[in-house]
Amino acid sequence: MRPTRLVVVLVVACGVLVGAAPVRAQQSPPAEVSWQSAGDSYSSGEGVAKNKGPCAQSEDAYGPVAAQTLVDDDHGWKITNRTFTACTGHLVEDYFHARGDSAPNTSSLWAWGREQGGPERVDVISLSFGGNDIGFADVISDCLIGVADSWTDYITLPPALATAGSFTGCDISEADLNQRADDLLDPPNRNCATNRRTDKVYNCDIALDGRRGTITDFYWDLVTNRLTDRGRLYVVGYPRIFADTDQWPAWSAVACAGVKRGDTQKLGRSAEHLNNKLQEAVRRANDALGEERVVFIDRFASYRDGQHELCGRGVDWLNGIALSRGDGTIRHLTSFHPNEAGHAATAVQLVDRANTTFPRTPTATSSGPTWDEIKNASIPEACTHPPTTLVDGRDVTLSEYQGYFELNRSLENGNTGLVAGVPSDAGPLTAVVVSCNAGGVGWPNQVMFFSEGGRYYGSTDLYDADWEQFGFFGPGRGGVTSISLEGPEVEVRTSAERDSDTSCCPTGAAVLRLRPSGGAIKITSITEVPGD
Amino acid sequence: MVMRTPTTVPAVRMAASDRLGSRLRLSAWLIVGLIAVGVAAASCSGDSQSDSPPVATTTGVDRDSRLAALIDASGLGDPSDVIVPAPTGTDAQAWLNDGGAKAVQLVRVTDALWIKGLEACATTAKSLDEIGTPEDVLAAAAGTPDVPTQEILVNLQRSTGDTLSTCSDAGAFDEALPEFVWNWALARDRLKDLGVVE
């Protein structure tokens, strides 16, 4: 981005973004989250004016901005651990392997994250990789910016070498570039001993953590070996650099940022191809994982939709040819990279997707006692029944006339009846819906909490809430229809009995939030469900 | 269709006769001789920063018609019809008179390519080398704090390199020249509008 336009661009871009893509505020943010912003120069902030260090990092890059936005702007996330490992010039293989040359840092990117205090497993990793793996960075830094050493070289070198592009390797064909992208997913040569960065061999598989594989395998490895059980990997695609020529201003009839129309179209198609292949790799990874753990952020589409590519009708989200602020020379890498406005736009996308895809409820394999541990637990007096030890979730000491007591592993409607991993002062708990009565008709459900080893922690009969504010008498009989973990709290949905209802047939519904603390279960909120 | 550059002597003779009117023929030939010597000296020394680039091969009328013909051959329309937004403030002018002066010199020097054609390749390249490397000139253009002007100058820089690279092939040169000329004329007009060149 040209310096004089920067302020205008940011102001306009912010305005556009607020209007175009409102960020969703979540009522129930996830509990403490660790966040790693990884990737290459399109993630480090290489194109941001004040990037720092050998990795060309900027806190204005989309990863750090998204994390901060989630914390600040009413999204309520608590991101307690942040690492920033994106580094210019890096490839997929550099994520797990230290670069042995004059690399910006001497560790692998993953190890660098650990050195920064990152945990063994991370909740969120955001990244862009692949551009350097197909040599696109070389095309950008050399083909688009590179020029002859002298003007005389243009007329004295042989014709085949004398074109501007041939000085720098710009003569790669579109088909070859696209093939390199294809080979990220389906490399024809497996178990190679090559290094893409130094050997420039693009049809081999990639060095991963302890094996070689495809970029799909890379995503799979990250999810399986580097993310927490609830973790998500956000893969950010690459934008098209140049707008379609029909958008160009009249004074750019011949070229945009010095690049001829034909070349810009060729590069644009290749960028789209790479973006599509990365999206396909994400789909393949999710298929292999059996769940949607990898989320694709379509940077290509967002730039395209607003015509924010160079010479487009929108505000530029990329630098053209950029200069060093120090000596005024051309900074090759900074050129043709997303600027502050571009990163801000991608951060909005990432925030939105993180809010909608990062799980509020851990899987049943999360910490907290299992069903097998609680089904034979000892419990205190409940539903007027004396203390007892359950057998397979039931109080088998009760006669038919005394009523019954039962832990519900699943509810009548098929929903789960328990959630694990509820944070508490006694460690992670498991909450389970209880059905009981003292003879006669069933009572409203209780929710009982167990700690490690299946030890009883506490319970609630759900009455201790301000039901009256909605004209309710209390929960309906046996009325819990779902239970889930929302951040640090358990959310229970239940039927609700209005004052005018007969006990058999409650006509209302409510959502309650439960939070364990000090052996008690506090109902922190109650909300009427409209229309029920 | 690309017009061929006329031979030097008749063109200079015609220009001199136009200016002389009723003056003495002897004085006229003296002036012509001085101009020719000056042009030759400037060309040999590669004085690319001269305000009088080597344009003595055609008359003003011929140059204009040649320029128009080349622009027409580009198929890109008349660059003088292109509406370029006026810059806000004077930052662009300040830059082009200082750190970006090499971009201005690019415009001044490269007119020889379309005035003289192929024969100007070597001297133009040499003149440009004395201004700076291609990257120096690109940096001067790219640093212009006015987006349209920056874009125009950057494109001219790249177009100049592309055109010079065809100098060993007359056919390729003729093919590349119209597009270069369109860029050049647009850049010249912009710099005139900014008051950077006359």
Side-chain angles (χ1 to χ4, degrees), chain A residues 89-99 107-110 129 195 197 207:
Chain A
H90 276 52
L91 295 79
V92 168
E93 64 190 17
D94 297 321
Y95 192 83
F96 292 121
H97 299 275
R99 296 171 69 138
S107 303
S108 69
L109 294 183
W110 172 255
F129 275 121
N195 172 308
R197 180 167 43 80

Side-chain angles (χ1 to χ4, degrees), chain A residues 2-5 142-155 157-159 162-165 167 249-260 311 316 321-323 328-330 332, chain B residues 76 82-85 91 95 106 121-122 125-126 128-129 132-135 137-139 142-148 150-152 154-155 157-158 160-162 164-168 179 182-183 186:
Chain A
R2 294 76 170 176
T4 52
R5 285 205 295 175
D142 295 339
C143 164
L144 303 186
I145 310 160
V147 289
D149 292 336
S150 78
W151 294 98
T152 304
D153 280 353
Y154 284 114
I155 59 175
L157 292 177
T163 58
F167 279 106
W251 56 85
S252 296
V254 173
C256 174
V259 184
K260 286 189 167 184
C311 294
D316 288 354
I321 295 174
L323 302 183
T329 57
I330 293 171
H332 287 217
Chain B
L76 295 167
V82 174
I83 299 172
V84 186
D91 288 351
W95 169 259
L106 169 72
C121 280
K126 187 178 178 187
L128 286 168
D129 280 337
T133 65
E135 182 154 328
V137 176
L138 183 60
T144 309
D146 170 58
V147 175
Q150 176 196 73
E151 185 72 8
I152 290 166
V154 165
N155 288 343
Q157 190 275 355
R158 301 304 293 254
T160 301
D162 289 345
L164 288 175
S165 69
T166 65
C167 283
S168 60
E179 196 170 281
W182 191 92
N183 274 322
L186 186 65

